[in-house]
Amino acid sequence: MTRDQIFEFFRRLAEANPSPETELEFGNVYQLLVAVTLSAQATDVGVNKATRKLFQIVKTPQDMLDLGEEGLKEHIKTIGLFNSKARNVMAMAEILVREHGGEVPADRDLLTALPGVGRKTANVVLNCAFGAETFAVDTHIFRVGNRTGLAKGKTPLAVEKQLERKVPGPFRVGAHHWLILHGRYVCKARTPECWHCGVVDLCGYKAKVLEKGAMPAGAKKAVAVKKESKA
């Protein structure tokens, strides 16, 4: 994409959704950190179902320590990898109380030093809680960045660096939300719904699916090859 195309890309996404937000539910910065940590390899919907009751009683790291690991597991047992996530969340709470006065630090290095917190989680917290211009590259953003030509890269970090360099000033805080939502509901993994995409004319994806119910060109080719191999 050219610089002008990138500006127009985000301008349209912003016009359609002026105030994008994470779909994770939380009441404060600590709850956001916990929710994002739990969301690894899980859906936001699944995390929200598990944390609604949890967050009624856990509002601070000390509350989490008072609940205890087994108590936490009872709340999050429907989430994948809940045992290891529970251990990380408890260890995180202990460090936050001991080293940060129970507060979540607004610093990427300090966040990624916490158990279970990687760069993506830190970027989400910095963006959603502190308004930082960070780009949390998950599977949706990685796919949209590469598929559209907006930000190509072989790794999430490479895509993040491209976004840092290319996203125009007015859209930097909301960019990762727009891209996640676009990937989740329009530019889907198996069949991108190009027929109702508001930025389809700016997209560099060659195998566009312009009719509902159609199959991407790449998928058609794969089916044809499979049929030939069986024959």
Side-chain angles (χ1 to χ4, degrees):
M1 285 190 192
T2 66
R3 182 178 297 180
D4 288 344
Q5 286 175 322
I6 292 172
F7 188 94
E8 179 63 13
F9 180 92
F10 282 107
R11 188 199 68 76
R12 293 184 195 176
L13 295 181
E15 184 177 51
N17 183 7
S19 303
E21 297 178 346
T22 177
E23 294 187 317
L24 289 171
E25 298 172 1
F26 62 96
N28 58 37
V29 182
Y30 175 63
Q31 290 181 341
L32 171 64
L33 176 60
V34 172
V36 180
T37 301
L38 295 176
S39 71
Q41 300 181 49
T43 66
D44 288 358
V45 172
V47 172
N48 290 337
K49 286 181 179 178
T51 58
R52 281 182 190 129
K53 290 185 177 180
L54 173 67
F55 288 164
Q56 289 177 12
I57 58 175
V58 172
K59 303 182 187 303
T60 68
Q62 187 59 56
D63 290 340
M64 187 67 77
L65 293 177
D66 293 341
L67 176 64
E69 186 172 327
E70 292 306 314
L72 174 59
K73 286 181 181 180
E74 282 300 308
H75 284 278
I76 67 169
K77 60 186 177 183
T78 56
I79 300 175
L81 306 175
F82 74 93
N83 283 311
S84 60
K85 289 178 180 179
R87 286 194 296 272
N88 284 334
V89 168
M90 297 308 299
M92 178 200 304
E94 184 179 353
I95 293 172
L96 288 173
V97 170
R98 185 178 70 245
E99 299 182 11
H100 301 287
E103 300 295 325
V104 177
D107 179 276
R108 182 187 283 131
D109 291 337
L110 292 177
L111 285 170
T112 53
L114 296 171
V117 179
R119 186 179 181 91
K120 183 185 74 173
T121 296
N123 282 343
V124 173
V125 173
L126 290 171
N127 179 273
C128 296
F130 302 108
E133 295 178 353
T134 55
F135 306 91
V137 179
D138 67 349
T139 56
H140 295 301
I141 292 183
F142 186 79
R143 178 176 66 257
V144 172
N146 278 284
R147 181 183 277 171
T148 62
L150 169 66
K152 291 188 174 183
K154 294 183 178 180
T155 65
L157 182 58
V159 171
E160 180 185 335
K161 294 300 182 183
Q162 287 290 310
L163 291 171
E164 286 180 349
R165 185 168 65 86
K166 293 181 176 181
V167 176
F171 309 112
R172 295 180 69 82
V173 173
H176 100 266
H177 293 295
W178 286 312
L179 293 175
I180 287 173
L181 295 172
H182 191 65
R184 185 173 289 165
Y185 298 112
V186 180
C187 197
K188 299 178 180 179
R190 291 189 177 182
T191 305
E193 298 181 0
C194 309
W195 64 85
H196 68 98
C197 175
V199 291
V200 65
D201 57 311
L202 304 171
C203 173
Y205 186 53
K206 293 182 179 179
K208 290 184 173 70
V209 185
L210 298 177
E211 294 182 10
K212 188 174 182 179
M215 186 184 297
K220 288 181 181 178
K221 184 177 180 180
V223 171
V225 170
K226 188 174 182 180
K227 287 182 177 179
E228 288 180 9
S229 64
K230 287 184 177 181

